[in-house]
Amino acid sequence: DEDSGVAVARALGAIGHPTSVTVLQNALGSQLAGVRAQAAASLRDLRAPRGTKVAASTAALLPLVADADAHVRRQAIITIGFVGQSGGDVTGAITALSSTATGDPSATVRKAAAWALGELKDGAARAALMQAQANDSDPLVRSIASAALANLR
């Protein structure tokens, strides 16, 4: 059931062992929205031995940016922001997050997308962030987009 799946994903993140990456990435494909959201959030909690990085694959998180559930979208986007460049090629992430920052129906998701674009520090996000800064109906989205623009290369 969903509660059990959420509890397992939360526990794997709390334990923080790097071998949990594969299990959590597999859980991103769950039929249960709560499990998908918690798996994405738990990927942020994983730790690695000193001198190494444990990172979720950005590619594994990208399908969730278009998830039907806003909470799942938000958690995946925040994790992409935390994973950043260490998660692999960010070209697909920039494209997906740019579209989300300017067109998602949820202001909470648009805020997360604007923040994550700033964390990725890639100039390819500039146009979307400028559009969000100038045109978004939510003042917090505009503010976050403005701060994110300052992070770009």
Side-chain angles (χ1 to χ4, degrees):
D1 74 340
E2 188 166 23
D3 291 339
S4 297
V6 169
V8 168
R10 184 177 294 121
L12 287 170
I15 291 167
H17 197 274
T19 59
S20 298
V21 171
T22 302
V23 175
L24 289 170
Q25 286 187 165
N26 288 339
L28 296 174
S30 172
Q31 293 297 314
L32 305 170
V35 173
R36 292 191 307 275
Q38 186 59 55
S42 291
L43 283 165
R44 296 192 297 269
D45 296 333
L46 299 178
R47 293 176 284 289
R50 177 171 276 170
T52 63
K53 288 188 175 188
V54 170
S57 162
T58 301
L61 292 158
L62 279 180
L64 298 185
V65 173
D67 197 273
D69 187 279
H71 183 62
V72 172
R73 292 193 307 273
R74 181 178 177 272
Q75 291 301 327
I77 289 165
I78 292 169
T79 301
I80 289 169
F82 274 100
V83 168
Q85 304 285 344
S86 66
D89 181 25
V90 296
T91 305
I94 297 292
T95 301
L97 295 177
S98 293
S99 176
T100 302
T102 58
D104 196 275
S106 167
T108 302
V109 173
R110 292 193 312 275
K111 289 176 218 174
W115 170 82
L117 285 169
E119 293 300 303
L120 294 177
K121 298 177 178 17
D122 191 306
R126 189 172 316 281
L129 288 170
M130 290 176 72
Q131 180 181 348
Q133 178 189 34
N135 301 324
D136 200 277
S137 60
D138 188 296
L140 287 175
V141 174
R142 293 192 306 267
S143 176
I144 292 169
S146 179
L149 279 165
N151 283 343
L152 301 184
R153 293 184 226 142

